[in-house]
Every structure is written in structure tokens, then in C-alpha cells.
Amino acid sequence: MVSKNRIALLGGGSWGTALAKLLLNNVDQLNWFIRNEEDIRFIEKYKHNPKYLTSIELDTSKISFYGNIHKAIQSSDLIIIAIPAPFLEKSLKGSEGMFENKFIVSAVKGIVPGYNLTVAEFFNQIYKVPFSSIGIISGPSHAEEIALERLSYLTISSKNKKDARFIADHLSCYYVKAKVSTDIYGTEYAAVLKNIVAIAAGISHGLGYGDNFQAVLISNALQEIKRFLDKTYKSKRKINSSPYLGDLIVTAYSQFSRNRTFGTMIGKGYSAKSAQLEMNMVAEGYYAVNCIKEINEQYKVNMPIVNAVYHILHDKISPAIEIKLLEEKLK
């Protein structure tokens, strides 16, 4: 069972800030690691994150700030990870042996590059954390709407439903309802795949495709996700429920979706590098599509949308040509 003491949050981006807002509703003390010491000092003084979700007022009397990630880990029992997957390995460097008897909760929606592992798999294989001591936070939700206190839903997955419920209770409030699941694998991989689909949706939007095409794209994407999950880890999951279909829809359509925004820029002619620089945010799907493509070399699942995004981003195929080819593969 999860310890009820000492909760740490690692990461000071938009999702980390939104999670801090939720946790501070339900805990007396939060250990929060933020990499930039200047950001820590700003929050301590002004009670706002200077870079992300600046409208959120944070109760700093409940926060112990850490600029050293190792000290934050050592001072906590339950560790919530909100560091983008591409930076996770580097951020955790030197923390070997620190996760024994700790519960890890991933709020990351990406794959660790170089390993082709989700965050749960990464902690299990690299840091030897048992899957029974790992939880997953998934949507459908965007940090921006949590900041605005618009009604949102989270799904908390863990092998033990009591652990999932403990985490869910610490993230729930009048504008957030948190449900529980035991499908760690499915919810985590679905979150990775929907980011790739959102890039495809954005590219299509940037090219001038309308809602009719987007509807067909998303319905095909759901079947693509189902094929991948069924082939790699079959379960009795309901693919049309919120953590799968709901998360896919909100990420593919929302104005707050960074992956859709990134895709739209690609569709309008930006290079991947210039789009990332202008956004100043991480589009996890950019990295994830390469990892999924490599993983799928083993399973050979039919994934035309993933392949199209890969060809555009990594093979430098014209978005207009690649989406035109994709048209004929959709049903």
C-alpha cells in the first residue's frame, strides 16, 4: 500500500504546475523539484510559476522546494514524475538505488528515447522498481483547463486499486474527478500513441483538411491504437472509454494540445526544429513516433497513421504528399 507520507513532484512545467495545484488542495506538505533555481525563487516570492500556467496561485506555505532532484527523491515516499520523457534519463542521472521502497507515479505521456521504454517500463527495467509500485496518471485532461478550474477527468492506473484510489483522492477536487484502473500498460501506451495521432491531426489541419476528414482520421486512429495494444498486451480494456478514446479526442482536437499545435505548424511548412523552438514546449509525439516505429518492427501491427507521421517528421517526406497517400488507407 502507498505510504501516506512525503509526496514529491518532479518537474515544473505546465503539467507539473497543474498537478501541484491539485495536490496542494489535499496535502499538508509537498516536496517540489524544479530544475531552475530562479524559478523557485520567483514562486517563493510571487506564488506563481513565471513560465507556465502563470494564473495559478500556489500556496507556498505547503511547499518545500528542491533544486536538487536527488534530495527531493530521498526526502519522499511517493514520487510523481512530470518531467518530459526525452529529458528523464539525464534528469535522474546518479539516482541509482534511490527508489527502493518508493512508489513511482508517472504523469509523463511519452517514451524514453534510446530505450524505447515507457516511463513505467523504464523505472522497472533500469531502476528495478516493481510494477506493483508504479502508477500512471492519464487523461482526458489538459493542464490549461485544470488551471481554469474547468471540470476535468483523470484516470489513475495501478496494479493495486487501493493504491490507485489513494493517488486519485490526492488529485481530486470539485473540478477534477479521478477514476481508477488497473491497466498500466494500456493507459500509458494509449497516451503515447494519441500524441502521435494529434500530430497527424494538426498536420492535416495545417494543410487545410476539415472536420469531416478529421473525424475519419480519429476513428481510424482508435482502431490503430486498439490493434497495437491487443497485439502487444491484450487485456479486457474498453477502448472506447475515457482514458483511451477520451484522451485521444481531446489531444487531437483541443486548442491546448501542444502535439496538435506542433503538427499544425508542420502542415503549414515549419521544419520540426523551428516548430519546437517557436513553441518552447516539448511535443512528446515527435520523439515517440520514432520509438513506436522501432518497437513495431517486432510486432508488425498495421499502423498507417503512425507511419505517415514518421515519414513526415523523420524521413522529411512532404506533408501534403504523405497525407494524400494516407487518405487512401483510411476507412
Side-chain angles (χ1 to χ4, degrees):
M1 182 62 189
V2 179
S3 169
K4 292 185 178 181
N5 301 316
R6 305 192 309 169
I7 296 175
L9 174 63
L10 309 184
S14 58
W15 195 218
T17 304
L19 290 172
K21 174 182 172 70
L22 297 180
L23 289 165
L24 290 170
N25 290 325
N26 299 298
V27 300
D28 295 324
Q29 191 68 29
L30 175 65
N31 298 330
W32 192 4
F33 163 74
I34 298 177
R35 181 175 56 85
N36 191 311
E37 293 279 0
E38 290 183 4
D39 291 347
I40 291 176
R41 289 195 292 271
F42 186 97
I43 297 172
E44 287 177 328
K45 184 175 182 179
Y46 297 107
K47 303 183 187 304
H48 298 276
N49 189 323
K51 297 176 180 175
Y52 303 97
L53 304 185
T54 57
S55 65
I56 291 179
E57 183 170 347
L58 299 159
D59 185 354
T60 54
S61 68
K62 292 184 175 183
I63 303 173
S64 294
F65 289 100
Y66 289 82
N68 183 307
I69 196 169
H70 301 144
K71 290 182 180 179
I73 293 167
Q74 291 169 333
S75 301
S76 308
D77 305 304
L78 189 153
I79 318 293
I80 300 176
I81 312 290
I83 298 170
F87 311 129
L88 189 58
E89 179 189 20
K90 183 178 180 180
S91 297
L92 293 175
K93 187 176 181 180
S95 59
E96 294 81 3
M98 294 184 182
F99 296 101
E100 186 176 356
N101 297 323
K102 297 186 187 295
F103 197 97
I104 307 301
V105 182
S106 172
V108 185
K109 298 172 181 178
I111 292 185
V112 182
Y115 292 89
N116 288 351
L117 299 172
T118 64
V119 174
E121 293 169 334
F122 180 75
F123 273 96
N124 176 254
Q125 295 187 30
I126 305 305
Y127 290 100
K128 308 306 177 186
V129 178
F131 281 116
S132 59
S133 295
I134 296 175
I136 306 297
I137 300 173
S138 57
S141 63
H142 282 304
E144 291 81 0
E145 292 205 352
I146 288 176
L148 293 168
E149 298 189 0
R150 293 177 178 170
L151 182 61
S152 302
Y153 290 73
L154 297 175
T155 301
I156 313 301
S157 302
S158 176
K159 292 291 185 184
N160 185 323
K161 278 194 172 182
K162 289 184 178 179
D163 290 338
R165 175 44 57 194
F166 175 84
I167 299 161
D169 288 346
H170 279 69
L171 295 171
S172 297
C173 60
Y174 72 89
Y175 55 89
V176 172
K177 299 181 185 297
K179 309 298 182 181
V180 301
S181 168
T182 58
D183 186 18
I184 291 177
Y185 184 95
T187 55
E188 192 169 32
Y189 266 101
V192 170
L193 290 165
K194 56 92 177 177
N195 282 336
I196 299 172
V197 174
I199 292 177
I203 292 171
S204 304
H205 176 68
L207 289 169
Y209 286 81
D211 292 343
N212 294 340
F213 177 78
Q214 294 281 5
V216 174
L217 177 70
I218 301 311
S219 62
N220 276 261
L222 183 65
Q223 295 309 308
E224 192 165 313
I225 292 170
K226 184 178 189 302
R227 286 195 298 272
F228 182 85
L229 295 181
D230 286 349
K231 180 74 172 181
T232 57
Y233 194 88
K234 196 168 182 66
S235 173
K236 292 182 179 180
R237 65 180 68 89
K238 295 180 180 178
I239 199 68
N240 61 345
S241 59
S242 293
Y244 312 101
L245 176 58
D247 208 7
L248 172 63
I249 290 172
V250 75
T251 309
Y253 280 105
S254 176
Q255 62 176 319
F256 296 124
S257 170
R258 66 186 67 179
N259 287 280
R260 178 185 166 92
T261 300
F262 174 78
T264 299
M265 296 171 77
I266 299 296
K268 289 182 178 294
Y270 283 73
S271 68
K273 184 176 182 179
S274 60
Q276 289 173 316
L277 287 172
E278 185 162 321
M279 287 175 59
N280 195 31
M281 298 177 80
V282 177
E284 293 269 23
Y286 172 78
Y287 301 92
V289 69
N290 187 52
C291 299
I292 291 293
K293 186 77 162 48
E294 291 180 3
I295 292 169
N296 198 37
E297 288 175 3
Q298 174 186 350
Y299 297 103
K300 302 189 185 307
V301 179
N302 179 29
M303 304 186 80
I305 298 171
V306 166
N307 291 339
V309 174
Y310 177 86
H311 292 322
I312 292 167
L313 297 182
H314 296 282
D315 289 338
K316 311 299 189 228
I317 303 297
S318 162
I321 292 173
E322 191 61 40
I323 298 300
K324 189 69 177 178
L325 293 171
L326 180 63
E327 290 177 26
E328 303 304 318
K329 299 173 184 177
L330 302 181
K331 300 177 181 179

